[in-house]
Amino acid sequence: MEAQLQALKTEALEKIAAAANVKELNDVRVAYLGKKGPITDLLKSMGKLPAEERPKMGALVNVVREEVTTTLEERMVILEEEAINIKLQSETIDITLPGRPVRTGNPHPLTRVIEEIEDLFISMGYEIAEGPEVEKDYYNFEALNLPKGHPARDMQDSFYITEDILLRTHTSPVQARTMEAKGGEPIKIICPGKVYRRDNDDATHSHQFTQIEGLVIGEDIRMSDLKGTLSVFAKKMFGNDREIRLRPSFFPFTEPSVEMDISCFKCGGTGCNVCKKTGWIEILGAGMVHPNVLEMAGYDSKRLTGFAFGMGPERIAMLKYGVEDIRHFYTNDVRFLSQFQRTEV
Amino acid sequence: MLVSIKWLKEYVNTQELDPAELGEKITRSGIEVDAVIDRSHGMTNVVVGYVESCEKHPEADKLSICQVNVGEDGIQQIICGAPNIAAGQKVIVARPGAKLPGGIKIKKAKLRGEVSNGMICSLQELGIEGKLVPKAYAEGIYVLPENAEIGSDVVTNFDLDDTVLELGLTPNRADAMSMLGVAYEVGAILSEEVKLPEATYTEAAETAESMLTLNIDAPEANPLYVAKVIRNIEVKESPMWLQQRLMAAGVRPHNNVVDVTNFVLMEYGQPLHAFDYDSLKTGNITVRHAKQDEMITTLDDAERKLSPHHLVITNGKEPVALAGVMGGANSEVSDSTTTIVIESAYFASGSIRQTSKDHGLRSDASSRYEKGVDPNRVIPAAERAASLIAELAGGEVLAGSVIFDELEREEKIVKVRPDFINTRLGMKIPFEDMLEILERLKFKTEAANNQLIISVPTRRQDIQIEEDVVEEIARLYGYDEIPATLPETEARPGGLTPYQAKRRIVRHFLEGAGLLQATTYSLTSEKSAKQFALTETDTTRLLMPMSEERSILRQSLLPHLLDSVTYNTARRIDSVALYETGAVFLKTDEELSNEEEHLAIAMTGLWLDNSWQGEKKPVDFFVLKGIVEGLAEKLGVELTFERGQMDDLHPGRTAFIILDGQRIGVIGQLHPTEQKERDLKTTVVLELNLAALLELAADPLLYTPVSRYPSITRDIALVLSKIVEAGTIEKVIRTAGGKLLKDVRVFDLYEGDKMEAGKKSVAFTLTYFDPEKTLTDEEVVAVHDKVLKALTEVGAELRS
Ligand SMILES: [Zn+2]
């Protein structure tokens, strides 16, 4: 009987080792350890043995059963792991295939530039003022020290609708309207918007374009305040190491009037194609608000002074992003627009 | 204004500054130098040659074989193609090895078998613009004066070794429209004195008044008129120096008389005109307003009809010049002229501007009058011209002038306190430095009672008020010296208005939904101005449009936005989703249009394109409707959709968008005919009065506690007549469901073959919920039965 037991054990261990998968191993378990298996049979047949042999034999059977069970469990762990591995392998995907696209749109490049400027000035305490695009000659010209027949009106050939109504040629009428509305109180505003001039559309001209202007009025506002403000703007928009320089210029609504150049952001001032070899790039026009403009809007120009500045988001976008043709901003080619998606910070 | 530096140096010492450096200084202190032009263009090896002989080339009709004496290297054979080449001429020769403008290099060559040792040049070949070359030489080579020295260098002998500064003048700096004005500016920058030109000539015994009478019938428009009479002149070509000065200044040389008037115009900024005395016939000059429909033929051979607001110079009978703008053909100086009248006058700017505008004529003269000439230069300019003509045309200047003078020419006094200047600038410029700058500007200044009392020279009519003086001081002191400070204003938070903030929210939402922001033009054509307009109003038309395509203000954004969609699809970008926000212009009874901010969306092609996973969804009405619904939710407004129709939209796939009972927008699919017209596939569009949406104040946001009690759902499938809309059924369900019915959603729609004709199946999920407690089965059954009953009553059939 003992020999029979040993033979059984050897046979079971062989079968365990031979089991190729979990199912075969489970079959082995049922075959050898199940209630109808040979080991159970052996235990049942122990009754036939003499009583003194029974404990010894019982212990022996238990040892064999333990050994078979342990070996089987160990084998089971291995086979289960193999089974999982096979399953995982069969589930492998091609991770180079494209993801399910999330549709994203983005702002127009001019909006991007305008909002960046707006946000900078908002952080310095400015409000955003807007006004009509169809404007009275009075606000567009007269209130800005440009009476009828003024030679500087030639600078901006306009689209008139009637003799007194026109498409605004700049966003400055918003300044005039704000001053009138504020009735002599201090002002700190940014005025963005569309403007129109009689120009034939080509790579550098557009009959419709955008402007963004700023106006500050208060007690003892000085030209140095203008310079400081523009310097902050230049650094924020074009990089911290930008320098600015002011050059004398002329606008009827400011006196003194200046143009602001920034040191070239591409070459840093040594000269390149962006700055036309000068090291400087013209960015905006500015000046101290002309006393006539203040007086016309009901301000006491002896007590309150101010500065104003204005620039073209198209020009800034063209410089910043290297856009070569102003018409791109109005053609809405998806291949153009969708390039202004990603962040720059 | 083109400023030859060689010419400038006759009036002011430029301290041997390199032209670029001088240009930079001028730019930094007030007048922008747009370009620095080297007149020599790096030319070398270009000399004076003498054409000893000139024969036709045997092999080529148009070529001549010339034997040219080029100086040291003796006689050289040169083939020349110019029609005006002839023996005995002094000509410009580019020798082999010469470099000409435009990178041209001259080499020894053979032309049809004949050797050519160089090239005989036209002025164009020396880099002079064709329109500036004297007419006689415009089509051929230039012929030098007889006294030109053979073999000498053309560049240095004829002032081509010069640099021209191109000034971009702002309208206030009319003073710099003259060489003298620029000299004063440069003098102020460099602290140099200005040397005025001389006018010396011997007067004849006879007086100008003995030959010419003068009547001014319009003294307000012409308060000063000076006429000089010069006789026995010989009209001929001007000397080289004068021709070169004019060409450098961008003026074409004609003859010595006309050239002198132009030269003095450039020198003083004072326009002059020369009349042929004999052609005047009457010995009289009368300045008056033109008669209605009076005619004049101007020097450009144009016949012009006049009216009383044009000022004319007449001979007492008929016009001989359009005052201050252009002379008349009937009194033009010609080769046979022997006696001339030189006019130097002050014409009021308004009158000249009107004349110049009406006739579309802008001349060097009119552009100066329009901006205002210096009243104190009218007489000196006349004298200077007389002196030059006497010198160059051999004439005899009659004694004195014929003159009418009622012109005020006092210097303007501007008083300003030094601390005013420093306060405005935020600087501390010492008083002495201010005085020194005013001295450099040649502004006579008295300092009294801590005040500067400044007499502004009449050439600087832009200096009127204290602030103008602030600018003069600052620009010459240097803007670099101004410190950088920030305004010391009351600290107030900046920010966007609620409207502006919501506009940005709309932008972010739409971009998050996958739309690209577009910008289109506001001006459009009559045809598209009203297409898709939400409100019926008249159109607003420009007085003088540049084209019909851009003549009317738009009343909707969609037409141009759809043009942009077509632009893209035409370039094989099949899926396009664009939005735009901007003003539309609605005409009102008020002076100004009502500008309404709109939002437009246009979408075509695929909405979802993930083809390798089998997901492909074209845009349709519901994609766009979902975006609008999402936007409304974001803004906290309730929009409803009402079936409607609009031209160019699909009659069965269009809805109006309603806010508080007001129609504020339209959403729909383009009509197939419109789609075809625009070369588009299925395209859905939205035009919405965005302002109406943004002007509404949103309710404050309050949190609702999340309920602990579960909700219970029931699905029902209904068979409906095809014409019954889901929205109608939903209303029935909601009404019947009452408070416990929390939500109703369509989850299935079937209109296929398995349905009876004219029927469809719509399935809804109903969610019941009581925030106070867990609903019991009985409660749900009770309310659900009510719903079912209501549905049966409206003819909906429960599908098993
Ligand atoms: Zn650069």
Side-chain angles (χ1 to χ4, degrees), chain A residues 262-281:
Chain A
I262 59 166
S263 56
C264 180
F265 50 77
K266 193 175 174 202
C267 65
T270 52
C272 70
N273 58 337
V274 171
C275 58
K276 299 193 190 94
K277 312 261 178 253
T278 64
W280 295 93
I281 301 172

Side-chain angles (χ1 to χ4, degrees), chain A residues 100 105 108 111 115 118-119 128 130 133-134 149 160 196 198 208 223-225 227 255 332 334, chain B residues 353 424 468 471 479 482 485 500 503-504 507 511 515 517 519 522 543-544 564 568 595 607 615:
Chain A
R100 189 174 191 276
H108 191 276
T111 304
E115 285 191 6
E118 283 178 353
D119 290 344
I128 309 298
E130 294 169 293
E133 292 170 30
V134 173
Y160 275 90
Y196 306 85
R198 289 185 74 86
Q208 174 182 321
M223 198 150 167
S224 58
D225 299 330
K227 193 173 179 181
E255 185 69 36
N332 301 309
V334 165
Chain B
R353 186 174 310 120
R424 281 301 144 90
D468 296 326
E471 178 168 60
Y479 282 141
I482 299 180
T485 58
Q500 291 163 345
R503 184 196 279 140
R504 287 202 187 180
R507 182 169 92 48
E511 286 154 17
L515 298 162
Q517 190 187 28
T519 305
S522 304
L543 279 182
M544 289 190 300
S564 293
N568 282 292
E595 287 179 33
W607 176 239
E615 295 177 303

Side-chain angles (χ1 to χ4, degrees), chain B residues 148-264:
Chain B
E149 191 193 326
I150 295 169
S152 66
D153 182 48
V154 165
V155 172
T156 50
N157 281 316
F158 299 107
D159 286 340
L160 289 168
D161 54 341
D162 191 6
T163 304
V164 170
L165 301 180
E166 187 180 347
L167 307 185
L169 292 177
T170 49
N172 60 324
R173 294 305 302 272
D175 65 294
M177 291 176 90
S178 65
M179 294 302 294
L180 278 175
V182 175
Y184 275 110
E185 176 74 9
V186 171
I189 297 167
L190 303 178
S191 287
E192 292 284 353
E193 294 300 314
V194 172
K195 184 170 156 271
L196 294 175
E198 281 171 16
T200 48
Y201 55 88
T202 323
E203 286 187 338
E206 212 174 316
T207 63
E209 283 175 327
S210 68
M211 282 184 73
L212 186 73
T213 56
L214 176 66
N215 307 92
I216 305 297
D217 292 347
E220 70 301 327
N222 180 21
L224 173 58
Y225 195 101
V226 185
K228 306 285 297 179
V229 181
I230 309 170
R231 67 184 176 194
N232 297 330
I233 59 160
E234 187 194 345
V235 176
K236 57 182 180 188
E237 205 171 293
S238 295
M240 270 303 276
W241 69 264
L242 178 50
Q243 293 192 33
Q244 286 298 352
R245 287 284 182 265
L246 291 179
M247 287 190 281
V251 178
R252 180 182 225 169
H254 290 276
N255 58 48
N256 50 2
V257 171
V258 172
D259 291 354
V260 166
T261 59
N262 283 330
F263 178 83
V264 177

Side-chain angles (χ1 to χ4, degrees), chain A residues 97-101 103-108 110-111 115 118-119 122 124-136 149-152 154-155 159-165 167 177 182 186-188 194 196-201 206-208 216-229 231-232 245-250 255-259 282 288 290-292 301-302 305 307 327 329-335 337-338, chain B residues 24 27-32 170-172 353 362 370-371 420 423-426 465-468 470-471 474-475 479-490 492-497 499-500 503-504 507-508 510-523 540-546 550 553-554 561 564 567-568 571 573 575-583 585 591-593 595 603 606-610 612-613 615:
Chain A
L97 283 166
R100 189 174 191 276
R103 285 189 67 109
T104 50
N106 59 259
H108 191 276
L110 293 176
T111 304
E115 285 191 6
E118 283 178 353
D119 290 344
I122 284 172
M124 297 201 283
Y126 289 64
E127 283 166 357
I128 309 298
E130 294 169 293
E133 292 170 30
V134 173
E135 193 44 285
K136 296 182 182 178
H150 191 288
D154 288 352
M155 287 163 84
F159 288 116
Y160 275 90
I161 289 162
T162 70
E163 204 150 287
D164 289 309
I165 307 290
L167 296 186
R177 281 174 176 275
K182 287 266 183 174
I187 292 178
K188 240 174 140 179
K194 291 177 185 145
Y196 306 85
R197 289 188 198 170
R198 289 185 74 86
D199 263 325
N200 283 307
D201 297 341
S206 181
H207 75 278
Q208 174 182 321
V216 174
I217 296 178
E219 269 178 53
D220 285 333
I221 297 290
R222 304 153 296 182
M223 198 150 167
S224 58
D225 299 330
L226 170 63
K227 193 173 179 181
T229 302
S231 179
V232 171
R245 69 171 193 187
L246 303 180
R247 279 182 293 109
S249 188
F250 170 76
E255 185 69 36
S257 302
V258 292
E259 258 161 310
E282 189 180 316
M288 302 304 291
H290 197 289
N292 291 359
S301 70
K302 292 276 168 276
T305 53
F307 64 72
R327 288 168 295 197
F329 295 116
Y330 297 93
T331 313
N332 301 309
D333 190 318
V334 165
R335 295 163 298 181
L337 292 179
S338 57
Chain B
E24 176 68 8
T27 294
R28 292 306 311 279
S29 49
I31 296 171
E32 189 160 1
T170 49
N172 60 324
R353 186 174 310 120
R362 180 154 283 175
E370 276 184 39
K371 300 200 162 92
F420 176 86
T423 310
R424 281 301 144 90
L425 295 173
I465 55 173
E466 292 164 288
E467 281 78 2
D468 296 326
V470 172
E471 178 168 60
R475 73 184 181 93
Y479 282 141
D480 287 348
E481 305 304 317
I482 299 180
T485 58
L486 287 174
E488 290 161 15
T489 52
E490 191 192 338
R492 273 182 310 166
L496 298 171
T497 62
Y499 185 101
Q500 291 163 345
R503 184 196 279 140
R504 287 202 187 180
R507 182 169 92 48
H508 292 301
L510 296 175
E511 286 154 17
L515 298 162
L516 281 172
Q517 190 187 28
T519 305
T520 64
Y521 295 133
S522 304
L523 286 169
T540 311
R541 194 182 171 81
L542 297 182
L543 279 182
M544 289 190 300
M546 295 175 77
R550 308 258 176 270
L553 282 166
R554 62 177 170 188
L561 196 63
S564 293
Y567 177 94
N568 282 292
R571 283 158 185 77
I573 302 158
S575 298
V576 184
L578 297 177
Y579 84 93
E580 179 176 14
T581 58
F585 303 84
E591 253 188 301
L592 296 181
S593 327
E595 287 179 33
M603 300 166 81
L606 291 179
W607 176 239
L608 179 61
D609 183 5
N610 184 30
W612 76 268
Q613 284 185 307
E615 295 177 303

Side-chain angles (χ1 to χ4, degrees), chain A residues 131-135 161 166-168 194 196 208, chain B residues 521-524 529-530 533 535 537-540 552-557 582-588 592-598 687:
Chain A
E133 292 170 30
V134 173
E135 193 44 285
I161 289 162
L166 74 163
L167 296 186
R168 66 179 178 194
K194 291 177 185 145
Y196 306 85
Q208 174 182 321
Chain B
Y521 295 133
S522 304
L523 286 169
T524 187
K530 286 181 166 187
T535 323
T537 70
D538 285 341
T539 50
T540 311
I552 311 267
L553 282 166
R554 62 177 170 188
Q555 301 194 338
S556 57
L557 306 182
V584 304
F585 303 84
L586 308 172
K587 204 166 184 172
T588 63
L592 296 181
S593 327
N594 172 24
E595 287 179 33
E596 204 170 79
E597 184 165 4
H598 274 206
E687 176 90 26

